């Protein structure tokens, strides 16, 4: 609702100012208010052109896949040789700007016949200088044919420059440059169709602007794999809905074509390059036979209902998890979850509210209110060392966690299908999920990273099975192959009794020496912890 309200208000304000800029009276809305890419004077197209639109969409998907592949290799090179910040990052941005500006300047000088004012340049040359929305309007609504040589040069160089520029150390976008590249290629196809198929015997009366629009849709959909939202955005920026059907055809075919080769540009950067644990919409079908116990984290950082203050500081110092299972003393039975946000608030508010008690002392009758524990106020401490200094005089005291844990946390049994667990994470927006054994005791915890590793393991196993089938070998060792790929699950074959003995709370922590305890200078998250993950998040 907030997004809808924000979009509605921003649309209203922008259209009010656009009307004033074009000489319309203040407050006038409707069809006379200009839209971003301009309105088409003729909205006709023939059913026979759908075949051409489909081929253009396939080409857009192929070009988008090529763009993503090139940009991925370029980004990997940047990560190795330039880095995320520093003087190299700054100099690269200057160099890219210099090259692109120099090319756009000199190409106009070399292609034009004589000295011109900017307003006097022909449309097929002026697009090198009038990039962005103005160039899009020229390609969409230009009545005269462009020189195909100049148009092809513009399309190819804009494709290369967009790929080179995306990922440089400036807040540059991909939306308009991709639309501009696709509209240039589409305009070329439209002019070719208009010049060679438009005759008295042919019912097709091609309009290059229409093909420029379809090319823009196909290029951006093939690059970013955006479908419905892209179609709605383009119809909104044109102020027309008559092109809805060809636009939907172009974006869907381009997306499906590009998906055959690689991910969309945004997913590629998020998942493959930055390794953000982002789950795809649908899990792999092979996950149905895989059980949660095969992929879960078995060494879990746990807390007791009555825990020492030093233990909480130790947990913050040695882990970066977002939540911790809380167990009943002396058992593996789970009482609930304690988020990192609540843990940090307890350390900050414990002394003024009398939460730090001596061992054997009864818990206070009055608790800290929920609004204070979940407050949006910044945390007082930023690092574990600051928390150690804050509670240095209370390290040997204890805190009763019962009033502050989440007793409504979700969990699954360790024999649950990973396919079902994957759907729970996607539909509920989970970051972690506790795993219980058949006796109700904590067996492990599963996070989005574990699911991603399981998905990659399934894909690797499928490739291995294909290779083994090619060699004429059977698939009797499929489960062993899967567990080799799921290397994060070294104890998957141990019996339950042995696993239960290994699940002591002391085994959940790293094997640091006592002398290096609490020496972490890691900066903790400034945002609220909330529903954080554990076991590797």
């Amino acid at each position: 609702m907030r997004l809808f309200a924000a979009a509605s208000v921003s649309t209203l304000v922008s259209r009010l100012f656009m009307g004033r800029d074009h000489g319309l009276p203040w407050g006038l809305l409707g069809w006379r208010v200009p839209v971003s890419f301009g309105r088409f004077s003729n909205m006709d197209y023939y059913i026979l052109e759908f075949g051409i639109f489909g081929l253009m969409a396939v080409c857009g998907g192929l070009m988008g896949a090529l763009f993503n592949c090139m940009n991925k290799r370029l980004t990997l090179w940047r990560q190795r040789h330039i880095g995320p910040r520093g003087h190299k990052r700054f100099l690269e941005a200057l160099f890219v700007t210099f090259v692109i500006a120099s090319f756009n300047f000199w190409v106009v000088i070399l292609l034009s016949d004589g000295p011109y004012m900017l307003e006097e340049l022909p449309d097929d040359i002026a697009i090198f200088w009038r990039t962005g929305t103005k160039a899009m309007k020229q390609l969409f609504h230009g009545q005269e044919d462009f020189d195909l040589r100049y148009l092809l040069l513009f399309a190819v160089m804009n494709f290369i420059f967009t790929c080179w520029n995306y990922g440089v150390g400036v807040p540059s976008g991909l939306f308009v440059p991709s639309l501009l590249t696709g509209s240039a290629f589409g305009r070329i196809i439209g002019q070719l169709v208009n010049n060679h198929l438009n005759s008295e015997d042919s019912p097709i009366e091609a309009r290059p602007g229409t093909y420029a629009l379809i090319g823009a849709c196909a290029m951006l959909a093939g690059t970013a794999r955006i479908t419905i939202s892209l179609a709605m955005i383009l119809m909104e920026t044109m102020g027309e809905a008559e092109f809805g059907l060809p636009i939907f055809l172009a974006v869907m075919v381009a997306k499906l074509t590009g998906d055959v080769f690689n991910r969309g540009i945004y997913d590629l950067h998020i998942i493959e390059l930055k390794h953000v644990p982002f789950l795809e919409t649908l899990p792999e079908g092979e996950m149905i036979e895989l059980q949660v116990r095969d992929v879960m984290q078995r060494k879990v950082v746990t807390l007791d209902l009555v825990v020492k203050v030093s233990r909480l500081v130790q947990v913050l110092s040695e882990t970066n998890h977002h939540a911790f299972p809380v167990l009943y003393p002396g058992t593996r039975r789970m009482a609930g979850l304690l988020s990192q946000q609540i843990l940090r608030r307890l350390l900050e508010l414990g002394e003024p509210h009398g939460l730090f008690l001596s061992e054997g002392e009864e818990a206070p009758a009055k608790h800290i209110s929920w609004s204070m524990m979940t407050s949006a106020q910044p945390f007082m401490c930023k690092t574990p060392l600051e928390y150690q200094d804050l509670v240095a005089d209370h390290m040997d005291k204890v805190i009763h966690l019962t009033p502050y844990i989440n007793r409504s946390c979700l969990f699954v049994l360790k024999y649950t299908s990973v396919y079902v667990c994957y759907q729970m994470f996607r539909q509920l927006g989970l970051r972690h999920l506790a795993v219980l054994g058949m006796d109700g005791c904590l067996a492990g915890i599963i996070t989005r990273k574990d699911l991603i590793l399981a998905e990659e393991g399934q894909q690797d196993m499928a490739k291995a099975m294909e290779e083994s089938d090619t060699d004429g070998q059977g698939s009797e060792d499929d489960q062993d192959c899967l567990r080799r790929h799921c290397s994060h699950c070294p104890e998957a074959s141990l019996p339950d009794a042995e696993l239960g003995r290994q699940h002591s709370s002391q085994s959940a922590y790293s094997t640091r020496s006592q002398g290096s305890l609490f020496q972490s200078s890691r900066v903790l998250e400034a945002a609220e912890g909330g529903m954080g993950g554990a076991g590797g998040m």
Side-chain angles (χ1 to χ4, degrees):
M1 292 298 295
R2 282 179 286 184
L3 289 174
F4 175 75
S8 301
V9 173
S10 62
T11 302
L12 173 63
V13 174
S14 63
R15 291 178 72 82
L16 285 174
F17 282 98
M18 290 174 68
R20 287 288 301 272
D21 292 341
H22 290 77
L24 298 176
W26 176 261
L28 178 66
L29 300 173
W31 68 272
R32 281 197 289 170
V33 177
V35 293
S36 298
F37 297 145
R39 300 181 186 274
F40 283 81
S41 58
N42 194 319
M43 305 293 294
D44 296 332
Y45 55 92
Y46 294 84
I47 191 172
L48 297 178
E49 293 180 274
F50 273 88
I52 304 177
F53 295 159
L55 292 177
M56 292 177 60
V58 172
C59 294
L62 295 175
M63 292 171 57
L66 176 63
F67 181 96
N68 296 350
C69 180
M70 294 170 55
N71 187 261
K72 178 182 177 180
R73 294 179 179 273
L74 178 61
T75 304
L76 292 174
W77 181 87
R78 281 193 177 113
Q79 292 176 350
R80 290 193 300 267
H81 298 91
I82 296 179
R85 58 182 61 87
H87 66 278
K88 290 184 178 180
R89 185 78 161 168
F90 176 72
L91 293 176
E92 184 202 18
L94 293 181
F95 178 72
V96 172
T97 304
F98 172 78
V99 172
I100 296 177
S102 300
F103 175 84
N104 289 333
F105 177 81
W106 286 106
V107 73
V108 175
I109 301 297
L110 297 176
L111 294 180
S112 58
D113 298 332
Y116 289 102
M117 298 296 290
L118 178 61
E119 295 76 11
E120 299 174 351
L121 288 173
D123 288 344
D124 47 12
I125 298 179
I127 58 175
F128 286 95
W129 279 7
R130 297 173 181 172
T131 55
T133 304
K134 293 182 178 180
M136 293 279 290
K137 289 182 178 180
Q138 287 183 339
L139 294 171
F140 284 166
H141 308 292
Q143 299 300 321
E144 301 294 332
D145 283 351
F146 288 67
D147 190 312
L148 293 182
R149 297 172 301 172
Y150 300 161
L151 199 57
L152 180 61
L153 176 63
F154 173 79
V156 172
M157 295 309 299
N158 198 69
F159 179 90
I160 295 174
F161 287 154
T162 303
C163 182
W164 187 21
N165 186 64
Y166 188 73
V168 76
V170 294
S172 59
L174 180 69
F175 212 88
V176 173
S178 295
L179 290 175
L180 190 58
T181 303
S183 60
F185 281 112
R187 181 87 189 192
I188 294 173
I189 301 299
Q191 291 188 189
L192 292 175
V193 172
N194 187 46
N195 295 333
H196 295 83
L197 298 182
N198 190 6
S199 62
E200 296 180 357
D201 300 332
S202 174
I204 297 179
E205 186 181 353
R207 294 176 175 80
T210 303
Y211 286 79
L213 172 63
I214 300 303
C217 298
M219 181 65 197
L220 184 55
T223 303
R225 313 295 158 80
I226 306 173
T227 54
I228 298 176
S229 59
L230 171 60
M232 298 305 297
I233 290 171
L234 289 176
M235 287 191 291
E236 175 67 22
T237 53
M238 294 184 303
E240 308 289 353
E242 284 77 2
F243 281 164
L245 189 57
I247 288 176
F248 280 128
L249 171 67
V251 297
M252 290 304 300
V253 174
K255 177 188 183 302
L256 295 175
T257 303
D259 285 342
V260 175
F261 299 95
N262 49 34
R263 303 178 189 266
I265 186 66
Y266 300 123
D267 291 342
L268 188 147
H269 276 260
I270 291 173
I271 299 174
E272 297 187 14
L273 297 177
K274 294 186 178 180
H275 304 290
V276 175
F278 178 81
L279 298 179
E280 298 287 352
T281 304
L282 296 175
E284 297 289 333
E286 293 80 3
M287 286 186 174
I288 297 177
E289 298 181 358
L290 194 62
Q291 295 181 354
V292 172
R293 63 175 180 171
D294 297 324
V295 301
M296 68 181 182
Q297 292 288 339
R298 298 174 179 272
K299 295 184 177 181
V300 186
V301 180
T302 61
L303 300 171
D304 291 331
L305 277 176
V306 181
V307 61
K308 280 191 174 184
V309 175
S310 59
R311 182 59 172 155
L312 298 182
V313 179
Q314 178 186 7
V315 165
L316 280 180
S317 177
E318 296 184 352
T319 69
N320 59 353
H321 306 334
H322 291 77
F324 307 92
V326 179
L327 307 180
Y328 289 105
T331 70
R332 292 294 298 175
R333 300 189 66 86
M334 187 171 168
L337 280 176
L338 183 73
S339 68
Q340 185 191 104
Q341 176 196 3
I342 303 298
L343 188 154
R344 295 173 67 180
R345 293 296 183 195
L346 287 174
L347 293 177
E348 293 177 356
L349 304 176
E351 183 177 6
H353 288 80
L355 298 185
F356 300 151
L357 307 172
S358 302
E359 291 193 25
E361 190 175 352
E362 294 184 0
K366 188 176 181 180
H367 311 304
I368 304 176
S369 65
W370 174 254
S371 59
M372 293 185 62
M373 297 298 291
T374 58
S375 173
Q377 294 294 327
F379 292 108
M380 296 170 52
C381 303
K382 305 300 182 182
T383 66
L385 289 178
E386 294 181 12
Y387 280 105
Q388 179 187 358
D389 296 336
L390 180 65
V391 297
D393 298 333
H394 307 280
M395 283 293 193
D396 293 332
K397 295 184 178 180
V398 297
I399 295 180
H400 293 261
L401 301 180
T402 304
Y404 309 105
I405 62 174
N406 177 16
R407 293 181 175 272
S408 302
C409 58
L410 300 176
F411 63 88
V412 293
L413 297 178
K414 62 181 181 181
Y415 298 109
T416 304
S417 170
V418 176
Y419 189 95
V420 175
C421 187
Y422 192 105
Q423 290 180 318
M424 292 178 62
F425 270 78
R426 281 286 305 179
Q427 296 173 6
L428 301 178
L430 302 180
R431 298 185 65 174
H432 62 272
L433 197 59
V435 182
L436 304 184
M438 298 305 295
D439 56 355
C441 295
L442 180 68
I445 202 164
I446 189 168
T447 66
R448 288 179 296 184
K449 288 187 177 181
D450 299 322
L451 293 176
I452 292 174
L453 290 173
E455 189 175 27
E456 294 176 352
Q458 287 288 346
Q459 295 173 355
D460 295 342
M461 186 186 71
K463 294 179 181 179
M465 291 174 60
E466 292 178 0
E467 295 176 357
S468 64
D469 291 342
T470 304
D471 297 336
Q473 297 177 1
S475 58
E476 59 185 9
D477 295 332
D478 291 347
Q479 190 66 20
D480 293 338
C481 177
L482 171 63
R483 289 180 177 175
R484 285 197 301 273
H485 290 294
C486 295
S487 58
H488 59 289
C489 179
E491 302 170 329
S493 60
L494 294 177
D496 293 343
E498 181 64 23
L499 290 176
R501 287 193 293 270
Q502 293 187 10
H503 285 165
S504 62
S505 58
Q506 295 301 323
S507 66
Y509 306 102
S510 59
T511 56
R512 298 182 183 182
S513 63
Q514 189 67 23
S516 62
L517 195 60
F518 308 152
Q519 298 304 310
S520 173
S521 60
R522 172 176 53 87
V523 178
L524 300 173
E525 292 185 5
E528 296 183 18
M531 291 294 292
M537 289 295 292

